[in-house]
């Protein structure tokens, strides 16, 4: 199939000067077949994320309950929410939805909502822990888990962000930011757990919990607005986008 190039500028009526469209750079030349290959890579990465998040979430929540760590439990809940975001992206790039504008928009909003589900619980429990002065036990399992996430999550997040740029997919970009958020929070969690284990700084744990809540709200707002995906979608003007789905799931 012959590749196509999307227009990069628009010319305003009555003016010879070009006007840049929405401040976004144009999508690169791409064919339908190449778009399908990129979508398949996104699905594979999302499946990989789902497996990791399932294991990470279960271990973190269990270890958090045993140690009485709000930050560790919050980290586990964040993993569960990120896992659901991966399910959304898998849904987005399955069947006819691969080329659907409406599926992309719906997936973008659903991914954003995942951030907002996390914040209230973690914020409440963190404030309660600070007021009550609860001292969480040392959790070496949590420390090991956070180290693994610090190493693994940036690789997943970076790969998804690159694919999101090529696909012009704000939903994929949102999931990639969730992976990067997971890495940052894992780093903060590691500091909190080590602080409690080494010098008995119990207050670091609920403080990290508040950080998790705040960052989740910020990232959710950006994902809802579709920020973080600076390339126009190849579906715009590509000739192969459609919103008619035979499975009635769009």
């Amino acid at each position: 199939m012959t590749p196509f190039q999307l227009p990069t500028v628009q010319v305003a009526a009555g003016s010879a000067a070009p006007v840049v469209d929405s401040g976004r750079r144009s999508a690169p030349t791409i064919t339908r077949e190449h778009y399908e290959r990129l979508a398949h890579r996104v699905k594979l990465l999302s499946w990989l994320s789902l497996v990791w998040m399932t294991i990470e979430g279960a271990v973190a929540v269990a270890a958090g309950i045993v140690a009485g760590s709000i930050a560790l439990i919050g980290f586990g809940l964040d993993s569960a929410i990120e896992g659901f975001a991966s399910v959304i992206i898998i849904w987005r790039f399955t069947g006819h939805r691969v080329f659907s504008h409406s599926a992309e928009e719906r997936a973008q909003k659903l991914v954003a909502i995942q951030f907002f589900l996390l914040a209230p619980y973690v914020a409440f429990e963190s404030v309660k822990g600070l007021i009550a002065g609860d001292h969480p036990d040392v959790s070496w399992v949590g420390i090991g888990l956070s180290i693994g996430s610090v190493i693994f999550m940036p690789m997943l997040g970076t790969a998804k962000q690159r694919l999101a740029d090529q696909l012009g997919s704000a939903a994929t970009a949102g999931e990639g930011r969730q992976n990067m958020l997971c890495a940052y929070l894992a780093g903060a969690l590691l500091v909190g757990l080590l602080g409690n284990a080494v010098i008995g700084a119990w207050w670091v744990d609920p403080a990290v919990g508040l950080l998790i809540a705040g960052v989740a709200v910020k990232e959710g707002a950006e994902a809802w607005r579709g920020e973080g995906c600076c390339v126009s979608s190849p579906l715009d003007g590509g000739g192969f986008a459609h919103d008619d789905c035979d499975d009635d799931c769009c």
Side-chain angles (χ1 to χ4, degrees):
M1 179 177 292
T2 303
F4 61 87
Q5 177 67 46
L6 295 179
T8 59
V9 297
Q10 295 177 345
V11 179
S15 172
V19 178
V20 179
D21 183 17
S22 303
R24 294 189 173 192
R25 69 178 183 270
S26 63
T29 300
I30 192 172
T31 63
R32 178 189 176 101
E33 289 77 12
H34 184 49
Y35 188 93
E36 286 182 304
R37 287 195 295 271
L38 293 175
H40 181 65
R41 292 175 191 172
V42 169
K43 282 183 63 177
L44 288 178
L45 288 176
S46 293
W47 274 114
L48 182 60
S49 295
L50 181 58
V51 172
W52 174 267
M53 292 302 171
T54 300
I55 297 173
E56 179 183 79
V59 173
V61 170
I65 291 174
V66 171
S69 169
I70 297 301
L72 194 51
I73 293 174
F75 185 72
L77 293 176
D78 174 70
S79 299
I81 291 172
E82 288 186 55
F84 188 64
S86 296
V87 172
I88 293 171
I89 297 301
I90 292 170
W91 170 88
R92 157 69 181 96
F93 289 107
T94 298
H96 294 284
R97 289 183 295 272
V98 172
F99 304 111
S100 171
H101 278 296
S102 61
E104 168 64 25
E105 293 172 358
R106 183 172 299 179
Q108 174 190 332
K109 301 300 184 184
L110 288 173
V111 168
I113 290 172
Q114 309 313 304
F115 289 101
F116 299 125
L117 295 177
L118 172 69
Y121 169 79
V122 177
F124 173 78
E125 291 296 336
S126 297
V127 171
K128 186 174 72 172
L130 284 171
I131 294 175
D134 295 332
H135 290 55
D137 297 330
V138 175
S139 176
W140 294 108
V141 173
I143 291 173
L145 183 67
S146 59
I147 291 175
S149 294
V150 167
I151 296 173
F152 184 56
M153 284 295 104
M155 294 188 289
L156 271 179
T158 300
K160 290 175 184 176
Q161 290 282 0
R162 290 174 179 171
L163 287 171
D165 282 347
Q166 297 179 68
L167 288 167
S169 172
T172 303
E175 193 203 4
R177 286 203 305 276
Q178 284 200 10
N179 293 148
M180 295 305 297
L181 173 63
C182 181
Y184 299 145
L185 296 183
L189 176 66
L190 180 60
V191 171
L193 293 175
L194 286 176
N196 182 53
V198 176
I199 61 176
W202 64 268
W203 53 267
V204 177
D205 185 271
V208 171
L210 286 175
L211 174 64
I212 292 176
V215 175
V217 171
K218 174 181 177 295
E219 292 292 335
E222 292 180 357
W224 183 270
R225 293 191 297 265
E227 296 177 6
C229 186
C230 56
V231 180
S232 58
S233 173
L235 293 176
D236 300 326
F240 54 78
H242 61 76
D243 287 308
D244 54 323
C245 296
D246 295 335
D247 54 8
D248 297 325
C249 292
C250 292

